[in-house]
């Protein structure tokens, strides 16, 4: 009789994954809350706002219809695909074929993980900026690819390093995985930047996946461009758009992948084996969100901008030098000088212990995230002010 492994790390793919750094902070936060300590949680990027009412109402109506309780279409119902392509036309002037150039996914993470499984094989080089959202790095590793991380202290440095890699690197990258506005660094780019990315990709036969999760969270007049606005982008690129942040629909798990028809077809083929698509009432409600809730999206963005201002102003008053991000729902803050040597994880633990504020340690986003922590703008302004006062007392102590 066989013996089951006592340790899950003995399984092949699990062995490739590092310990989840954020779990340390999550456990500390849970212990503190169990002890009735009021922790202000600015760690996970989990939107705290309500989904627009009209979307919820449509979900309830659709759930009551028994026809919607059956398996749905793996690639998404046609009307939803038509709605996402209509929104791309309205917002970016990009024309997409809803049948061949758009697919509905179970959130952006599902799109990324399945897309990597569909397109990456053993030893294929996938380039991405570091620090990065963990799935960008470990999705590649789980798909047997080789994750090539290039530093991104700023957008120009990443592009320069990418050009160097094409000049000197062997083998050439199979895929380039980028995300702007960027999590965790909040780096934003303009359309000319994407033109350079597309030019390089076309020249060298690289596919581009652009994770556009923060498409609608641009501040101070900044509007994030879509990579598909670049002429010829559809020859090499796909873009992943998520309902999570734009419509406060994080728990609903619905997103899209749009662009290059060959890549969309590969993703559709993989998904046809792995899932039956998003629960149909959620898809029906998502049509309403895309069709009727642009004003809600603008209001959601304005809420994040106000919170950003409160957090940045409060941290500056506390003596912590930080810069205002132009996009995302985060602040990427350098660890204050006198705590630099203990590292971002130990500093995050100190903040939780001494100031009762939870943040994400930069090291959790990859080796080049060390020296920073990430704040998520997921508490109201009053709570954020309370957090910065506590941090100020801790830093002065």
């Amino acid at each position: 009789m066989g013996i089951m492994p006592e340790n899950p790390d003995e399984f092949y793919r699990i062995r490739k994954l590092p310990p989840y750094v954020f779990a340390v902070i999550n456990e500390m936060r849970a212990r503190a809350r169990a002890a009735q300590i009021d922790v202000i949680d600015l760690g996970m990027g989990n939107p705290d706002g309500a989904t627009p009412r009209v979307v919820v109402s449509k979900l309830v109506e659709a759930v009551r219809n028994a026809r919607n309780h059956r398996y749905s279409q793996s690639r998404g119902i046609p009307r939803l695909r038509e709605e996402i392509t209509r929104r791309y036309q309205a917002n970016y002037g990009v024309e997409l074929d809803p049948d061949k150039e758009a697919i509905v996914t179970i959130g952006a993470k599902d799109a990324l993980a399945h897309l990597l499984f569909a397109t990456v094989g053993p030893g294929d080089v996938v380039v991405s900026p570091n620090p990065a959202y963990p799935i960008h790095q470990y999705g590649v590793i789980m798909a047997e690819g080789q994750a090539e991380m290039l530093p991104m202290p700023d957008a120009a440095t990443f592009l320069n390093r990418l050009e160097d890699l094409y000049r000197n690197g062997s083998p050439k990258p199979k895929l380039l995985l980028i995300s702007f506005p960027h999590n965790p660094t909040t780096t934003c780019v303009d359309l000319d930047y994407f033109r350079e990315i597309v030019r390089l990709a076309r020249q060298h036969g690289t596919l581009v996946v652009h994770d556009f999760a923060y498409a609608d969270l641009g501040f101070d007049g900044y509007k994030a461009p879509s990579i598909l606005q670049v002429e010829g982008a559809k020859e090499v690129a796909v873009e992943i758009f998520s309902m999570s942040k734009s419509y406060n629909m994080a728990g609903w798990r619905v997103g899209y992948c749009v662009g290059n028809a060959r890549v969309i077809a590969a993703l559709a083929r993989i998904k046809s084996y792995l899932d039956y698509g998003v629960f149909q009432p959620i898809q029906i409600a998502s049509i309403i969100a895309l069709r009727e809730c642009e004003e809600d999206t603008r209001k959601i963005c304005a809420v994040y901008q106000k919170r950003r201002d409160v957090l940045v102003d409060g941290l500056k008053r506390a003596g912590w030098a930080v810069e205002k991000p132009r996009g995302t729902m985060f602040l990427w803050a350098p660890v204050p000088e006198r705590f630099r040597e203990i590292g971002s994880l130990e500093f995050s633990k100190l903040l939780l212990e001494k100031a009762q504020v939870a943040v994400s340690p930069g090291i959790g986003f990859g080796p080049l995230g060390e020296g920073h922590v990430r704040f998520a703008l997921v508490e109201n302004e009053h709570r954020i002010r309370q957090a910065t006062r506590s941090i100020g007392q801790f830093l002065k102590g």
Side-chain angles (χ1 to χ4, degrees):
M1 186 175 162
I3 298 173
M4 288 296 288
E6 290 178 18
N7 183 347
D9 288 351
E10 291 176 46
F11 293 118
Y12 173 68
R13 280 198 174 78
I14 302 299
R15 208 165 51 229
K16 294 179 167 213
L17 301 174
Y20 197 57
V21 171
F22 304 121
V24 178
I25 300 298
N26 292 344
E27 283 163 21
M28 279 184 69
R29 184 192 63 223
R31 280 200 305 272
R33 284 185 167 163
Q36 308 298 310
I37 295 168
D38 179 24
V39 173
I40 300 172
D41 189 2
L42 303 176
M44 185 181 175
N46 192 0
D48 61 318
T51 304
R53 259 190 222 171
V54 65
V55 182
V56 177
S57 298
K58 192 66 181 180
L59 175 74
V60 172
E61 178 193 314
V63 164
R64 289 196 172 120
N65 185 338
R67 281 182 315 195
N68 293 324
H69 299 176
R70 308 176 72 182
Y71 292 128
S72 188
Q73 293 184 33
S74 176
R75 62 187 302 138
I77 57 177
R79 279 188 305 138
L80 180 52
R81 283 185 274 120
E82 284 162 14
E83 207 57 50
I84 187 69
T85 57
R86 184 203 60 76
R87 188 181 192 267
Y88 259 79
Q89 176 65 58
N91 286 14
Y92 306 109
V94 172
E95 281 198 34
L96 293 160
D97 180 335
D99 292 322
K100 294 180 180 168
E101 295 175 334
I103 187 169
V104 179
T105 61
I106 307 169
K109 254 189 178 181
D110 165 85
L112 269 167
H114 288 167
L115 189 59
L116 291 167
F117 274 118
T119 57
V120 173
D124 283 343
V125 175
V126 179
V127 173
S128 59
N130 198 266
Y133 186 51
I135 190 70
H136 286 202
Q137 185 179 339
Y138 297 109
V140 175
I141 290 165
M142 284 189 276
E144 306 285 298
Q146 181 185 326
E148 182 81 42
M149 297 176 294
L150 299 182
M152 193 172 69
D154 54 72
T157 301
F158 174 73
L159 190 57
N160 290 339
R161 290 294 294 270
L162 182 61
E163 287 169 334
D164 289 345
L165 183 72
Y166 278 120
R167 272 195 296 271
N168 311 319
S170 181
K172 291 281 190 282
K174 169 80 174 282
L175 194 143
L176 176 58
L177 177 48
I178 54 175
S179 179
F180 298 103
H182 185 249
N183 174 16
T185 69
T186 75
T187 303
C188 294
V189 299
D190 57 19
L191 199 52
D192 281 341
Y193 190 88
F194 281 145
R195 287 193 181 98
E196 278 302 296
I197 293 282
V198 169
R199 181 186 66 78
L200 286 168
R202 291 175 72 182
Q203 185 181 330
H204 296 281
T206 305
L207 289 172
V208 182
V209 177
H210 180 232
D211 180 356
F212 205 22
Y214 302 94
D216 298 298
L217 300 187
F219 309 137
D220 307 320
Y222 171 72
K223 179 173 166 48
S226 161
I227 196 169
L228 299 178
Q229 289 174 265
V230 176
E231 194 177 340
K234 278 199 285 184
E235 291 173 30
V236 292
V238 292
E239 188 160 72
I240 294 166
F241 175 80
S242 162
M243 304 289 283
S244 296
K245 313 306 188 300
S246 297
Y247 299 95
N248 279 341
M249 290 173 68
W252 297 57
R253 307 315 304 136
V254 57
Y256 318 91
C257 189
V258 294
N260 182 273
R262 187 168 65 99
V263 175
I264 298 296
L267 179 54
R269 183 88 174 271
I270 282 274
K271 279 175 65 61
S272 70
Y273 282 91
L274 292 174
D275 69 65
Y276 285 110
V278 178
F279 184 42
Q280 194 151 296
I282 290 176
Q283 295 192 55
I284 292 165
S286 296
I287 292 168
I288 299 303
L290 291 166
R291 190 182 289 161
E292 298 182 15
C293 296
E294 287 301 294
E295 186 54 39
D296 293 89
T297 297
R298 283 189 282 274
K299 285 177 183 169
I300 289 164
C301 180
V303 166
Y304 284 125
Q305 181 170 321
K306 277 187 181 170
R307 290 178 180 184
R308 174 206 66 170
D309 292 344
V310 170
L311 179 60
V312 169
D313 293 346
L315 288 177
K316 283 183 172 173
R317 273 198 303 276
W320 191 340
V322 292
E323 297 296 321
K324 277 188 178 178
R326 283 198 300 160
T328 77
M329 54 186 291
F330 304 113
L331 172 68
W332 185 240
V335 173
E337 192 67 52
R338 67 188 165 107
F339 297 100
R340 199 74 49 86
E341 64 184 34
I342 66 171
S344 60
L345 178 57
E346 289 306 313
F347 177 68
S348 299
K349 285 156 90 172
L350 264 183
L351 269 188
L352 188 50
E353 187 189 332
K354 306 290 188 190
Q356 288 81 54
V357 177
V359 297
S360 293
I363 190 67
F365 300 98
L368 301 175
E370 188 49 275
H372 286 76
V373 294
R374 192 196 71 179
F375 289 84
L377 304 170
V378 293
E379 292 265 19
N380 63 40
E381 292 171 43
H382 168 72
R383 295 279 284 168
I384 290 172
R385 284 191 188 92
Q386 188 183 330
T388 58
R389 281 197 298 271
S390 296
I391 289 169
Q393 286 162 7
F394 160 61
L395 293 178
K396 288 181 178 81

